[in-house]
Amino acid sequence: MSTDTVLAEIKNLRTYFYLAEGVVRAVDGVDLVIKSGRTLGVVGESGCGKSITALSLMQLVPSPGRIEGGEITYYRTIHKTASSTTADAINITRLKPDSREMRSIRGNQISMVFQEPMAAMLPVRTVGAQIMEAIMLHQQVSKEEARKRAIEILSRVKLPNADRIVDTYPFQLSGGMRQRAVIAMALSCNPNLLIADEPTTALDVTTEAQILDLMRELQREFDMAIMYITHNLGVIAEMADEVAVMYMGKVVEQTDVTSIFRKPLHPYTQALLRSIPQLDDVMARAAGQKKRLETIKGMVPDPYSVLKGCSFHPRCPQYIEGVCNQITPEVIEVDPNHIVRCHLYASHAAQAQTNKDATP
Ligand code: SF4
């Protein structure tokens, strides 16, 4: 498995929605790097822009939204050997959503699994017909061959009796089986990048654990990158190699999965971690003790508003008057491969600048 080949790079991405009530800056200057064979976890509350970042990558931003600026570079593999990879850099933001090139990438090299499997599959067509359609759209194969491959991929995602499931309709399957079928559809063309947008939120915990195991197994088998979007830090701990924390359209912290849990820097990340129930809390409640779970105070601001300064300042317990409500924090690299957007770490930025100036 490769660990440092960049597969996709998002730079200063801005995706806005123009509504009668105002402009929603759903994604407002996002930078992310997705590496081959690795999992990037993207975490944050509802409305923080994680799904719209993914939809921008697929050129599937729904109207009245549009990509307003920035770049998404996808490195399409041309030639690969054990020691090197030759890739063609494609700027996805310059492609028209319905262009031939974008259609050859979407669903083929980059695929997506959505939260609600019923919404991802047509109820009036069989599971097999929908998988076969995806295969025949991107690969020059006969109907018989496509059916054979559909059965093969359905058994790969551990659906029992795949040769029977291929002829069933989505509504005839349970929630867990449907989500497996959706994953099979997304994997049918052997993508380089799988975007999984809250794929287990609607499932019970046992099925969730099975789906997560399955995704890890398939990732190893296909050597694909996964961009895993969730609000669940437990799932992040299990799935991700790197983690990006988003708040109001921006990445506020990014690092490897161990550092995010051991040394969270941003007050928002710290608050998210404090709001996870601990075993002690559960035991205390079971013993009849009153113990409240920590919450993040306040609400996510109105999406039409543009806050001066740091967008987290109305909710931040470490807010600095006159600074946080006035100046937008820039990205600061506090440790190698650990970046944060917060004024509390301004001294690191100053030190980095001094070191840079001192370098001959
Ligand atoms: Fe809190 Fe200020 Fe940091 Fe924003 S910049 S997270 S308000 S301390």
Side-chain angles (χ1 to χ4, degrees):
M1 186 189 294
S2 45
T3 53
D4 50 12
T5 310
V6 174
L7 183 66
E9 202 170 2
I10 300 176
K11 277 191 190 155
N12 196 22
L13 178 69
R14 280 167 286 125
T15 305
Y16 295 171
F17 287 78
Y18 295 87
L19 306 168
E21 297 84 351
V23 180
V24 175
R25 291 165 171 78
V27 177
D28 199 15
V30 162
D31 296 300
L32 287 174
V33 172
I34 301 169
K35 293 175 185 167
S36 290
R38 309 273 286 171
T39 300
L40 171 71
V42 183
V43 69
E45 288 164 291
S46 300
C48 69
K50 34 191 206 312
S51 298
I52 299 298
T53 303
L55 291 174
S56 304
L57 227 165
M58 299 278 284
Q59 276 282 17
L60 282 178
V61 178
S63 177
R66 63 170 184 255
I67 297 177
E68 214 30 75
E71 282 186 6
I72 301 174
T73 309
Y74 171 63
Y75 296 93
R76 180 164 52 190
T77 306
I78 300 170
H79 183 66
K80 197 174 179 179
T81 64
S83 57
S84 69
T85 303
T86 314
D88 187 13
I90 300 166
N91 185 350
I92 285 182
T93 50
R94 296 234 178 97
L95 299 180
K96 286 218 164 76
D98 56 355
S99 65
R100 204 170 156 180
E101 191 159 23
M102 194 60 231
R103 281 187 283 129
S104 75
I105 295 172
R106 190 193 307 124
N108 184 23
Q109 301 184 32
I110 307 178
S111 345
M112 192 157 175
V113 178
F114 295 89
Q115 180 178 342
E116 185 34 74
M118 266 320 252
M121 296 192 113
L122 285 172
V124 292
R125 299 195 66 202
T126 63
V127 167
Q130 297 185 60
I131 298 177
M132 283 164 64
E133 188 180 352
I135 294 172
M136 288 195 291
L137 185 69
H138 297 293
Q139 294 168 23
Q140 303 300 316
V141 293
S142 65
K143 212 171 163 187
E144 290 69 36
E145 178 60 24
R147 184 179 164 87
K148 212 172 110 198
R149 290 193 192 178
I151 295 172
E152 201 180 298
I153 193 77
L154 285 169
S155 55
R156 278 259 187 77
V157 298
K158 301 201 170 69
L159 277 165
N161 305 320
D163 50 348
R164 285 226 313 270
I165 298 256
V166 76
D167 295 318
T168 57
Y169 289 88
F171 63 84
Q172 294 176 295
L173 304 176
S174 69
M177 288 170 92
R178 266 201 300 268
Q179 196 56 300
R180 282 171 197 264
V182 170
I183 293 173
M185 194 157 80
L187 295 181
S188 58
C189 295
N190 197 356
N192 292 327
L193 170 60
L194 179 72
I195 302 173
D197 188 358
E198 309 256 15
T200 58
T201 306
L203 305 175
D204 62 78
V205 282
T206 315
T207 314
E208 176 178 60
Q210 289 169 355
I211 296 281
L212 294 182
D213 280 347
L214 172 70
M215 287 181 73
R216 272 196 303 259
E217 200 180 308
L218 295 169
Q219 180 178 35
R220 279 193 296 273
E221 190 179 331
F222 290 87
D223 189 25
M224 66 186 174
I226 298 180
M227 179 180 179
Y228 201 104
I229 297 169
T230 182
H231 62 272
N232 185 337
L233 281 161
V235 171
I236 286 287
E238 231 178 287
M239 290 296 290
D241 298 299
E242 292 270 325
V243 184
V245 181
M246 285 189 69
Y247 188 78
M248 283 204 77
K250 287 187 167 59
V251 173
V252 294
E253 183 165 1
Q254 190 172 354
T255 186
D256 61 273
V257 68
T258 311
S259 305
I260 213 85
F261 285 95
R262 291 225 175 117
K263 193 186 169 190
L265 299 177
H266 198 279
Y268 176 60
T269 316
Q270 293 167 355
L272 278 181
L273 289 168
R274 281 197 302 272
S275 63
I276 301 176
Q278 303 295 315
L279 190 58
D280 287 356
D281 303 330
V282 179
M283 300 295 277
R285 268 196 292 276
Q289 293 170 21
K290 281 192 181 161
K291 208 163 179 204
R292 281 188 167 270
L293 201 59
E294 266 209 55
T295 53
I296 305 176
K297 73 160 192 178
M299 304 281 290
V300 177
D302 163 0
Y304 306 108
S305 61
V306 182
L307 289 180
K308 200 171 174 191
C310 169
S311 51
F312 189 55
H313 84 256
R315 308 174 75 189
C316 181
Q318 296 176 68
Y319 158 76
I320 312 163
E321 175 63 37
V323 177
C324 298
N325 56 341
Q326 296 298 324
I327 308 163
T328 305
E330 295 295 329
V331 171
I332 299 169
E333 186 165 20
V334 173
D335 288 319
N337 192 36
H338 196 160
I339 57 145
V340 65
R341 261 180 202 271
C342 174
H343 291 306
L344 295 175
Y345 304 92
S347 60
H348 287 80
Q351 187 58 50
Q353 189 58 45
T354 312
N355 295 347
K356 205 168 148 197
D357 294 344
T359 309

